[in-house]
Amino acid sequence: MKFNIEIKGFGQRVFYSYIEKEVVKEARETNRERYIEYIFHGVDNNLHSSGEDLLESNRPVVYIIVNEKEKLRVSLNKINCEVKNYPAKKIFQPFVKNSLLYCFGYNEEYIHTYSFSDVEEIDIDKITARIVETEIPKTIENNVWMQKIIHIESMLYDGKEIKREEFLSRPMPTILGPVIIDLEN
């Protein structure tokens, strides 16, 4: 029998690139107030965060779908979670040196869909979410931008990884940033 698991929630899409420290220093000296607006930055990478309150609230919802008529709804914090904490440098720039992180983003609504078919009936206690959590340091102006990024790395059923079918996202109108963060200090 085929089962689907859908995780629906609200999170952030964070875009980031690297800027040499010297470029930022020169821009700050030229225009202290609005220097970030004048900085050219490189190719953006992006990272989906499933929400800063992913594990603390009942907002992210997990639907276990047996068929279109049978949808079991549970909160993500009611299923097993394996949480790994990584420093921000390991997530954003593990091999980059002498650079600052240029970040901006937006809030988004998302749906993760996973499917598996090698079981006869589903047991909620056998579902595990692997989650990566990263604390985000303050900006170079010492402001809090985002507290943390929490990413759903994978889903397991009875110890075996469940295949992710698709990831859907819809941007919300809130723009976050741009900010500059120093991950080397």
Side-chain angles (χ1 to χ4, degrees), residues 99-150:
S99 292
L100 299 170
L101 200 64
Y102 178 96
C103 298
F104 64 95
Y106 56 78
N107 289 331
E108 67 181 352
E109 183 178 7
Y110 62 83
I111 303 171
H112 291 269
T113 305
Y114 300 85
S115 72
F116 57 108
S117 58
D118 53 350
V119 292
E120 289 301 314
E121 60 182 357
I122 197 154
D123 181 350
I124 293 175
D125 293 331
K126 292 183 178 182
I127 298 171
T128 303
R130 279 198 179 139
I131 292 169
V132 173
E133 188 173 274
T134 303
E135 299 282 331
I136 302 294
K138 292 181 177 179
T139 68
I140 61 173
E141 277 82 32
N142 206 27
N143 297 323
V144 173
W145 181 56
M146 221 183 264
Q147 304 259 316
K148 58 177 106 165
I149 287 178
I150 301 174

